[in-house]
Structures are given as structure tokens and as C-alpha cells.
């Protein structure tokens, strides 16, 4: 049987199965080629952890939509409580979900799931990317944003309860641009995917 493998290097490897055993599969690689399916827009999603399977859903779908990096965040109104060991297991689980999403959509570079960070620490990081935060009274919509830098965007998505007034003030001080995403109030998992899709349509490769 012929199969296609990938290892995160943005290449695919055409291979043929040699043996299928209980705990391993042996395949012979016959050829390889570059298969670049990455968006020209680098999106770093800062997602406050949501409850239940919503976080897994957000990670899976954001990877399919082309997000490059995901950082799970803890905020004042975050309803999820995880200690160190449970958090480490969650990160490993989310990374596996990202890999499976790449298998499904054909991406050949696996997005990084970073360790959990406090919202204020993540917001204070500066990597040259345009920092974006959803706000119902924002001046800009995604369509009216200024030019996106080559470093891409950092997209902050809050928890089910939203960000506190203090956290919103902190993001303003840390250089975030507030953007409007329509007139309706969206759930956290809907907001992240809607914003990512809109960014990819306007500045990435969605709809090409």
C-alpha cells in the first residue's frame, strides 16, 4: 500500500508500507517533495482557556484555518483551573490535536502549542506583529485595519466571561488595536474562528 507521510518540515514523503506490526509500521520512503500550504499571514492566537471540549474545538479548527502559533492563556475570568501536571498533559493533548488537524487539512508544518501563560505576560510580548483585540466599541473592523506587518498578527480572544475592565486597559497600554467583529456578541470559540477566517480572507489565502 502506498502512503504519504509528513514530518513538519513542509515536505511530503511518498512511501510504501513494508510491514504492519502491533506497535509499529515500517515504510520505505520512495521520494519527497516540498508541499507548501502555509498562509502568507502569520497568525499567533492567544486564546484564554475555555471549558469542556471548546478549547479542543478551537485548536482543531484554528489549525485548519492556518494559524501558526497558539498560546493558551489564563485571565481573571477564566473558569478553568488546572495544576502543573494536569496542564502539561493538556498541552500534550492539544499538540496531538494540532497534528491530527494537519493530517486532515494537508498542512505540512505543525503549529506550536505554547505553554500556558498569564494574559498580561503574553500581551506584553513584542515580536513586531500587529496586536489585535476584539471590542464592541472598536474603531476598526478587520476590513479597515492598517497594513499588516510581515511578522503577522497577534489575535487575543478572551474567555466566556470576556476580559475585565483592567485587562482591557492593560491591552491598550501594551499596544493592542481594538477591532470590531460585527454587531452580534459571539461565544469565545465562535469569535476566534470568525476573526481568523476574516483575517485570512482579507490578508491571507482563504478564498484564493
Amino acid at each position: 500500500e502506498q502512503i504519504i507521510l509528513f514530518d513538519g518540515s513542509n515536505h511530503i514523503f511518498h512511501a510504501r508500507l513494508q510491514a504492519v506490526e502491533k506497535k509499529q509500521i515500517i515504510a520505505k520512503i520512495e521520494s519527497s517533495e516540498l508541499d507548501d500550504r502555509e498562509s502568507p499571514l502569520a497568525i499567533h492566537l492567544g486564546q484564554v482557556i475555555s471549558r469542556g471540549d471548546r478549547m479542543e474545538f478551537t485548536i482543531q479548527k484554528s489549525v485548519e484555518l492556518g494559524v501558526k502559533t497558539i498560546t493558551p492563556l489564563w485571565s481573571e475570568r477564566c473558569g478553568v483551573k488546572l495544576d502543573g501536571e494536569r496542564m502539561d498533559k493538556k498541552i500534550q493533548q492539544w499538540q496531538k490535536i494540532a497534528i491530527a488537524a494537519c493530517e486532515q487539512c494537508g498542512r505540512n508544518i505543525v503549529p506550536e502549542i505554547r505553554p500556558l501563560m498569564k494574559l498580561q505576560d503574553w500581551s506584553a510580548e513584542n515580536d513586531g506583529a500587529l496586536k489585535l483585540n476584539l471590542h464592541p466599541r472598536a474603531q476598526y473592523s478587520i476590513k479597515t485595519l492598517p497594513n499588516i506587518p510581515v511578522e503577522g498578527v497577534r489575535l487575543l480572544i478572551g474567555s466566556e466571561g470576556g476580559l475585565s475592565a483592567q485587562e482591557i486597559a492593560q491591552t491598550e497600554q501594551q499596544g493592542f488595536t481594538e477591532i470590531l467583529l460585527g454587531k452580534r456578541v459571539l461565544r469565545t470559540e465562535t469569535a476566534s474562528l470568525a476573526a481568523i477566517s476574516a483575517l485570512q480572507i482579507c490578508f491571507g489565502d482563504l478564498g484564493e
Side-chain angles (χ1 to χ4, degrees), residues 58-93:
T58 300
I59 289 172
Q60 181 189 63
K61 301 308 176 187
S62 62
V63 169
E64 292 178 29
L65 289 169
V67 163
K68 183 177 181 181
T69 308
I70 302 171
T71 302
L73 303 176
W74 183 87
S75 72
E76 186 178 323
R77 296 177 180 173
C78 178
V80 181
K81 305 295 182 184
L82 294 171
D83 58 24
E85 183 177 350
R86 287 180 64 202
M87 191 68 246
D88 290 342
K89 289 182 179 179
K90 276 290 185 184
I91 296 294
Q92 294 174 12
Q93 179 183 351

Side-chain angles (χ1 to χ4, degrees), residues 20-104:
V20 178
E21 301 174 4
K22 187 174 182 180
K23 294 187 177 181
Q24 69 175 357
I25 293 175
I26 300 173
K28 180 181 179 181
I29 294 175
E30 298 179 335
S31 64
S32 65
E33 61 184 275
L34 178 68
D35 187 18
D36 187 6
R37 303 191 186 190
E38 295 303 294
S39 170
L41 176 65
I43 301 177
H44 183 161
L45 174 63
Q47 174 71 57
V48 176
I49 300 174
S50 50
R51 285 175 283 193
D53 59 359
R54 295 174 187 170
M55 190 70 180
E56 295 181 2
F57 177 84
T58 300
I59 289 172
Q60 181 189 63
K61 301 308 176 187
S62 62
V63 169
E64 292 178 29
L65 289 169
V67 163
K68 183 177 181 181
T69 308
I70 302 171
T71 302
L73 303 176
W74 183 87
S75 72
E76 186 178 323
R77 296 177 180 173
C78 178
V80 181
K81 305 295 182 184
L82 294 171
D83 58 24
E85 183 177 350
R86 287 180 64 202
M87 191 68 246
D88 290 342
K89 289 182 179 179
K90 276 290 185 184
I91 296 294
Q92 294 174 12
Q93 179 183 351
W94 293 337
Q95 190 67 70
K96 290 178 180 177
I97 290 171
I99 293 171
C102 287
E103 293 173 352
Q104 190 279 325

